[in-house]
Amino acid sequence: MSPLRLGWDNFLKPDQSCNKYAPPHCQEKSWVLSSKEINFPYPLALTLLHMVFSSVLCFVLTKVLKIMKVEEGMTLDIYISSVIPIGAMFAMTLWLGNTAYLYISVSFAQMLKAIMPVAVFILGVAAGLEMMSCRMLLIMSVISFGVLVASYGEININWVGVIYQMGGVVGEALRLIFMEILVKRKGLKLNPVSVMYYVSPCSALCLLVPWIFLEKPKMDEELTWSFHPLVLTLNCICTFALNLSVFLVISHTSALTIRVAGVVKDWVVVLLSALLFADTKLTLINLCGYAIAIAGVAAYNSHKLKKEATRVSSDESQATSSIPLVSSSTSNA
């Protein structure tokens, strides 16, 4: 028995296993991964399929049909130093985040994602992008406390799933930090399709290597899983549409709209998952802890918006004050 299977079998109970390698909370998998529904319990393969589909579709839309345009200006140096790290962190986020659904419920995974501002802030301070302050420490403490309370109220907590989800959070935080450092500082501006066009193939390659060693042998040996091409194709289309919509929202709305929509989306996902998945149980402690965490996230968003507004007004005032200096020097000349 391989070490990978031994690790999975340690979480099995004879009367709870859905298939040979499924963990005890298999009834709480997402719909595609669930053995009771589509029965495709391979999160790494599913994520790889998403990235390959996105890469092919972007190529067809931009190079074959020429419906959309890819922004120019991408060089080999920028791709190696910027796109590859971002693509690798994006692949890590999707892989670990999808794997977490094998162990924990969708609603609980969403609650754990509330810790994202804490991870971004800590990594931002380490990278020199954020400044430590008493106010930010208080906000981070409120968010962390809320997530801890929500975790304490989870009925069937599985720490393997928590670790996977936290790994996905760290990957997403690193991706945001890399975008801040590697893209904005180089002045590279790409439209949503261009971002997906460049990032998706890189993410697919980053996922291909671990898939060959971790999931491919198991998929070759386990021949009982059912493959639904139509369902998986629709799933890939939904994923592509989701990623595209996120990039479109970022490029066409304000920071306030994005942050408010994000908070609303989080609550909708938690409540809908509790309604759609019958085995998902939300406790009062769950909801109270998540409410505390979301209050901290709202405070963090407000602080960031005020900081951005101050920076923008400062830049405008400097630009305005520079005009009289130019005219004055001209008149003196």
Side-chain angles (χ1 to χ4, degrees), residues 47-91:
T47 306
L48 175 60
L49 184 62
H50 289 165
M51 291 297 99
V52 172
F53 182 86
S54 178
S55 302
V56 173
L57 188 57
C58 284
F59 180 81
V60 171
L61 292 176
T62 56
K63 301 300 182 181
V64 179
L65 301 179
K66 296 183 179 180
I67 298 176
M68 299 179 180
K69 182 181 178 182
V70 177
E71 295 290 338
E72 303 295 335
M74 179 63 66
T75 63
L76 180 61
D77 176 66
I78 295 177
Y79 192 88
I80 294 176
S81 62
S82 302
V83 177
I84 291 180
I86 293 173
M89 291 302 101
F90 190 46

Side-chain angles (χ1 to χ4, degrees), residues 65-281:
L65 301 179
K66 296 183 179 180
I67 298 176
M68 299 179 180
K69 182 181 178 182
V70 177
E71 295 290 338
E72 303 295 335
M74 179 63 66
T75 63
L76 180 61
D77 176 66
I78 295 177
Y79 192 88
I80 294 176
S81 62
S82 302
V83 177
I84 291 180
I86 293 173
M89 291 302 101
F90 190 46
M92 173 183 172
T93 300
L94 297 176
W95 171 21
L96 298 181
N98 287 337
T99 305
Y101 292 129
L102 293 172
Y103 299 90
I104 58 178
S105 64
V106 176
S107 59
F108 184 49
Q110 193 65 36
M111 292 179 186
L112 293 177
K113 289 181 182 179
I115 203 71
M116 177 68 69
V118 178
V120 174
F121 177 73
I122 293 175
L123 293 175
V125 171
L129 302 175
E130 297 281 355
M131 295 295 295
M132 187 69 70
S133 64
C134 295
R135 182 175 182 180
M136 289 302 296
L137 282 176
L138 178 61
I139 293 175
M140 297 301 109
S141 300
V142 171
I143 297 175
S144 302
F145 176 73
V147 173
L148 287 176
V149 172
S151 302
Y152 179 79
E154 181 68 10
I155 297 176
N156 296 317
I157 189 171
N158 188 307
W159 291 107
V160 176
V162 173
I163 292 174
Y164 273 118
Q165 186 61 54
M166 289 297 99
V169 168
V170 173
E172 178 65 10
L174 286 173
R175 184 182 72 88
L176 295 174
I177 295 298
F178 283 146
M179 289 185 68
E180 181 74 20
I181 296 176
L182 302 176
V183 176
K184 288 188 176 181
R185 289 186 178 181
K186 294 186 178 182
L188 185 64
K189 295 183 179 180
L190 301 175
N191 60 38
V193 177
S194 299
V195 174
M196 298 180 66
Y197 177 85
Y198 290 118
V199 172
S200 296
C202 177
S203 298
L205 290 177
C206 292
L207 292 167
L208 179 62
V209 175
W211 174 76
I212 293 175
F213 292 99
L214 296 180
E215 285 190 355
K216 186 179 183 298
K218 186 168 60 177
M219 294 177 69
D220 293 336
E221 180 181 350
E222 187 69 28
L223 301 177
T224 58
W225 57 276
S226 57
F227 185 86
H228 297 266
L230 178 60
V231 174
L232 291 178
T233 302
L234 293 175
N235 181 260
C236 291
I237 293 175
C238 289
T239 303
F240 179 84
L242 172 63
N243 293 334
L244 182 62
S245 65
V246 170
F247 291 131
L248 287 173
V249 169
I250 292 175
S251 60
H252 288 88
T253 62
S254 65
L256 177 61
T257 303
I258 297 171
R259 287 179 166 89
V260 172
V263 173
V264 175
K265 182 264 297 180
D266 293 341
W267 274 107
V268 170
V269 170
V270 170
L271 297 179
L272 279 183
S273 63
L275 295 175
L276 295 177
F277 297 96
D279 294 319
T280 300
K281 305 296 183 182

